[in-house]
Amino acid sequence: MSDHCLDSLRLSLMCIGDMTFMPLETSAGGDWDKPITPTVYSCRDYRALRSWSKVRDATNEEGIEDRAEKMRGG
């Protein structure tokens, strides 16, 4: 597996979780591929995401009524 493939997997898993297809441009000699990346990506704060999700975890019974009320728009 090439370094490009591993790096693409790492970025997808750690930064964006995005399954968008990334097209490749093959060199004239066919010996390498270059990604065509017109979209600019920024990494997410994984710790902040975990913290946000833990507060909203359905198994966390503390405050569940308040969260349910917020989901209902109240």
Side-chain angles (χ1 to χ4, degrees), residues 2 4 10 12-14 21 28 30 37 39 46 48 53 57 60-61 63 66 69 74:
S2 73
H4 165 73
R10 180 187 65 79
S12 291
L13 293 172
M14 293 183 67
F21 174 72
T37 55
T39 304
Y46 186 70
S53 66
D57 186 349
N60 177 4
E61 292 184 22
D66 293 335
E69 186 60 29

Side-chain angles (χ1 to χ4, degrees), residues 4-52:
H4 165 73
C5 293
L6 291 174
D7 197 43
S8 289
L9 288 171
R10 180 187 65 79
L11 287 172
S12 291
L13 293 172
M14 293 183 67
C15 297
I16 55 177
D18 187 359
M19 296 299 292
T20 304
F21 174 72
M22 183 184 299
L24 298 174
E25 176 183 6
T26 304
S27 69
D31 53 348
W32 54 265
D33 293 325
K34 173 184 163 188
I36 302 169
T37 55
T39 304
V40 176
Y41 294 99
S42 64
C43 293
R44 308 301 191 259
D45 182 343
Y46 186 70
R47 288 189 181 121
L49 179 59
R50 279 188 56 108
S51 176
W52 179 88

Side-chain angles (χ1 to χ4, degrees), residues 64-74:
I64 198 164
E65 292 298 325
D66 293 335
R67 291 193 304 276
E69 186 60 29
K70 285 181 184 178
M71 290 177 71
R72 286 195 230 36

